[in-house]
Amino acid sequence: MKIIIKVGTSTLTDKDGLLNKKYIANLAGCISNLQKNKHEVVIVSSGAIGAGMGCLKLIKKPKTLREKQALAAVGQPLIMNAYAEAFSGYCVSVAQVLLTRDDFDNRTKYINARNTLSELTDRGIIPVINENDTVAVDEINFGDNDTLAALVAAAVDADKLVIFTDVDGLYDGHPSNGKLIDRVEKITEEIEAFATGGSSSGKGTGGMKTKIAAAKIAAASGVETVITNGSKPELLEKIVSGAQCGTSFAAVKQRLEAKKSWIAFGKKPKGNIFVDKKAAQALTSGGKSLLAAGITKVSGTFKRGDTVYVTDSDTKRNFAAGLVNFDSGEMQLIKGKKTSEIKKMMEYAEDEVIHRDNLVIL
């Protein structure tokens, strides 16, 4: 089994903001046991900025980009040293992998990252992945490592995504008085409504909302997700064996093929194409390609080959994503027009705005 384990800042650090090396050593022991049982493990680790803050004895979380980047540069080697030291006791090597959104958006980089991770796990090396905070800017960052973990899970065709947090899972209210939800078969608007607010500890960048969003990505890619209390890494063995721990989110029975998973979640959408009811039905039920005639509105700035959302004009819901065959300027000219009319305007124009082979229903 291939398992992605996401560890948050609040789990990795103690009450003083310093790296909790005792916890990391315990985590390493639990993961090495999984390896002995022939499981492949990838860690997606937060904590670089938090470790940097602890090292420099800072109390307030930085707000500016340059402060965050500087603290990440201080904290990242501290985290890797802690992991390397902990795993060395079990004769296991670790590898640092730093990624940005651009590494997923670019198909060549995406495949290279996927191949590197596969080679590492094949050799029994534990990849420790983090967002490359020292260079990431708003345009190329993930915003949280929950999303990064889900994208990694999709990229490497993982079997399980385990998200460690500071509560036992998803509750139908506040954790202090709500009921823990054991199993979610489908992530609905009601389930999403239970996930409100940011990081409960105030240390991380996400919260339960980003974890549900990550579970949604993983589920569509055929990966089961478990959100559970990270203070108990010994739960990993039970989770892998199928025992109920925390909140589990079912995966779809038929996972997306690699290319479509990349289209749906790897590439960052650059705009929206709004379609009428007839076109929406043709895409969702008829398995058709998207033609210009059914398009009512276009928003955003994008190039040919970029990913765009396909949006229902009535409900404003993004129900599909795909690689577009026209840029945004051309789309403004051809929206609502028949293919025969477009051919007169653009002699070498494609028949489809998005071909069904490059379209994913979300």
Side-chain angles (χ1 to χ4, degrees):
M1 184 179 290
K2 187 172 288 186
I3 309 135
I4 311 300
I5 301 171
K6 187 268 178 175
V7 189
T9 302
S10 60
T11 306
L12 281 175
T13 55
D14 59 24
K15 58 183 176 60
D16 297 319
L18 298 173
L19 280 177
N20 188 337
K21 292 189 177 183
K22 184 177 179 181
Y23 171 82
I24 295 173
N26 191 14
L27 177 64
C30 295
I31 291 175
S32 66
N33 284 335
L34 293 180
Q35 270 198 328
K36 288 176 184 176
N37 290 316
K38 307 303 181 183
H39 298 296
E40 297 179 355
V41 180
V42 176
I43 299 173
V44 177
S45 178
S46 299
I49 294 174
M53 288 175 61
C55 176
L56 300 178
K57 297 181 173 54
L58 301 179
I59 299 174
K60 291 186 178 180
K61 192 172 181 179
K63 294 182 179 181
T64 67
L65 179 62
R66 62 189 293 175
E67 287 176 312
K68 293 176 183 177
Q69 290 174 328
L71 288 174
V74 172
Q76 193 60 43
L78 299 177
I79 286 180
M80 284 309 303
N81 285 340
Y83 278 118
E85 183 180 341
F87 277 100
S88 67
Y90 302 93
C91 299
V92 176
S93 297
V94 298
Q96 181 181 47
V97 181
L98 298 175
L99 298 171
T100 67
R101 199 63 167 86
D102 186 56
D103 295 318
F104 285 80
D105 195 66
N106 182 290
R107 181 68 175 162
T108 301
K109 290 182 178 181
Y110 177 84
I111 293 172
N112 285 341
R114 176 187 169 114
N115 291 343
T116 298
L117 293 173
S118 294
E119 181 67 20
L120 289 169
T121 54
D122 285 348
R123 290 174 176 269
I125 299 168
I126 304 288
V128 179
I129 302 174
N130 196 359
E131 180 166 10
N132 196 355
D133 291 313
T134 57
V135 299
V137 294
D138 288 343
E139 289 78 10
I140 61 171
N141 71 357
F142 298 93
D144 63 87
N145 277 341
D146 298 321
T147 300
L148 173 57
L151 292 174
V152 169
V156 301
D157 297 326
D159 299 291
K160 280 187 187 289
L161 166 62
V162 180
I163 299 179
F164 278 156
T165 184
D166 49 10
V167 291
D168 289 333
L170 177 65
Y171 289 80
D172 62 3
H174 192 276
S176 62
N177 52 28
K179 181 182 177 182
L180 180 68
I181 300 172
D182 292 332
R183 178 80 172 172
V184 175
E185 294 298 331
K186 185 178 180 181
I187 299 174
T188 61
E189 290 183 0
E190 180 184 11
I191 292 296
E192 291 177 318
F194 292 143
T196 58
S199 168
S200 60
S201 66
K203 295 179 180 179
T205 57
M208 193 55 68
K209 188 174 182 180
T210 66
K211 289 165 181 56
I212 300 302
K216 204 170 184 178
I217 293 172
S221 303
V223 183
E224 182 185 25
T225 300
V226 176
I227 299 175
T228 191
N229 196 319
S231 66
K232 307 168 186 175
E234 60 273 10
L235 290 177
L236 282 171
E237 193 169 342
K238 292 182 179 180
I239 291 170
V240 170
S241 67
Q244 182 60 52
C245 300
T247 305
S248 61
F249 296 80
V252 296
K253 292 181 180 179
Q254 186 175 0
R255 71 166 72 217
L256 291 171
E257 60 180 82
K259 181 185 175 185
K260 290 207 169 186
S261 178
W262 172 69
I263 291 171
F265 307 115
K267 281 178 70 63
K268 195 171 185 178
K270 301 295 177 65
N272 292 70
I273 292 177
F274 294 81
V275 299
D276 59 28
K277 187 175 181 180
K278 185 178 178 181
Q281 189 172 9
L283 296 177
T284 55
S285 303
K288 302 294 185 180
S289 298
L290 176 61
L291 304 179
I295 297 172
T296 60
K297 179 184 173 184
V298 177
S299 69
T301 303
F302 49 84
K303 305 186 296 294
R304 186 177 190 272
D306 281 344
T307 294
V308 296
Y309 281 129
V310 183
T311 309
D312 189 306
S313 292
D314 294 330
T315 64
K316 303 299 185 290
R317 183 178 71 88
N318 300 328
F319 67 89
L323 305 181
V324 67
N325 287 328
F326 299 86
D327 65 35
S328 50
E330 291 168 335
M331 285 302 310
Q332 296 291 357
L333 296 175
I334 68 173
K335 63 182 180 183
K337 289 183 167 53
K338 297 179 180 179
T339 303
S340 57
E341 295 177 290
I342 298 170
K343 291 289 186 182
K344 293 176 182 178
M345 298 167 58
M346 305 173 185
E347 185 177 353
Y348 300 106
E350 301 279 354
D351 290 343
E352 307 90 359
V353 172
I354 301 177
H355 192 279
R356 63 184 180 184
D357 291 344
N358 294 324
L359 182 77
V360 184
I361 303 302
L362 302 175

